[in-house]
Amino acid sequence: MTVTQVPQVGHTGGLAQRYARALYDLASEQGNLSDVLGEVKALRAAIAESDDLRKFLADARMDIRQGRTVSNVLMSKLGFGDVLRRFVGVIAENRRLPDLASILDGVLALDSALRGEVVAEVRSAQPLTDTQRIQLQARLAEAGYSRVSMTERTDAALLGGMTVRIGSTLFDTSIAGRLTRLQNAMKGAA
């Protein structure tokens, strides 16, 4: 396993945080924060599980009306409340649907930070089992991260293993990472 310090750079980092803060504050003001957070988790899981939904959200050719209409239908079909439905409508009108997953992650990260938890972004080649989640949380507790909230993503490019990012620290046990390190070591030996 390799541990490295890497800067967190993302083209939507600040944007996602601003939208996340707006949704969090709106839900807090209306007194239904726990309901909205549950819906945010459910929508984030739906995006993670559906290739078609990810493709739809990433489609840059979609016009504003089409994005708003489809997002309204989707939100109603999934049974989400008014706050999240209107919020996703604003995201669609502002042509930010490709950033929706990052915005939802930002809402969950903000909630975790306000509760004193650290957010660990876990990327694995295969979805984690419940046993693996428990083992990973135990390992992170041993490393000094006792209050951890995990966001999970699958990435077939890792080939196997996983990466865990907590702040600027990256734990890399992926096969792709090992191959890269081996390739770099071989270049140095030549």
Side-chain angles (χ1 to χ4, degrees):
M1 173 175 67
T2 300
V3 178
T4 54
Q5 297 287 101
V6 293
Q8 282 188 297
V9 177
H11 70 285
T12 61
L15 172 94
Q17 290 172 356
R18 287 191 301 273
Y19 276 104
R21 172 57 83 173
L23 177 59
Y24 193 90
D25 290 347
L26 177 65
S28 293
E29 288 170 9
Q30 293 188 353
N32 57 356
L33 181 61
S34 62
D35 293 339
V36 171
L37 288 173
E39 292 175 355
V40 165
K41 289 177 186 175
L43 180 56
R44 185 63 188 96
I47 293 170
E49 294 169 3
S50 173
D51 287 333
D52 291 336
L53 183 54
R54 284 193 304 274
K55 287 177 187 174
F56 163 73
L57 293 173
D59 189 0
R61 299 171 295 159
M62 183 177 10
D63 68 4
I64 293 173
R65 264 185 317 199
Q66 182 184 18
R68 187 178 341 118
T69 302
V70 173
S71 65
N72 283 338
V73 169
L74 177 67
M75 295 292 104
S76 295
K77 193 171 203 171
L78 293 174
F80 293 129
D82 189 48
V83 172
L84 189 60
R85 191 175 334 163
R86 286 186 296 133
F87 180 77
V88 173
V90 169
I91 297 294
E93 285 184 28
N94 292 339
R95 301 185 58 85
R96 299 294 184 197
L97 284 176
D99 302 319
L100 183 59
S102 297
I103 292 167
L104 297 174
D105 286 343
V107 172
L108 298 174
L110 178 61
D111 181 58
S112 293
L114 292 174
R115 287 185 289 121
E117 292 181 346
V118 176
V119 178
E121 180 185 326
V122 180
R123 294 172 48 134
S124 59
Q126 305 271 330
L128 296 178
T129 65
D130 291 335
T131 304
Q132 289 172 324
R133 277 186 202 94
I134 292 168
Q135 290 173 343
L136 179 58
Q137 285 191 324
R139 294 286 183 162
L140 290 173
E142 290 173 8
Y145 301 105
S146 58
R147 294 187 55 145
V148 176
S149 174
M150 296 192 302
T151 60
E152 299 176 24
R153 295 183 185 182
T154 54
D155 184 358
L158 294 177
L159 303 175
M162 71 177 70
T163 63
V164 179
R165 179 187 302 272
I166 300 175
S168 64
T169 305
L170 176 69
F171 299 92
D172 187 354
T173 63
S174 68
I175 293 174
R178 290 178 188 176
L179 290 173
T180 301
R181 289 188 297 277
L182 180 62
Q183 181 182 20
N184 290 338
M186 291 176 70
K187 284 181 185 177

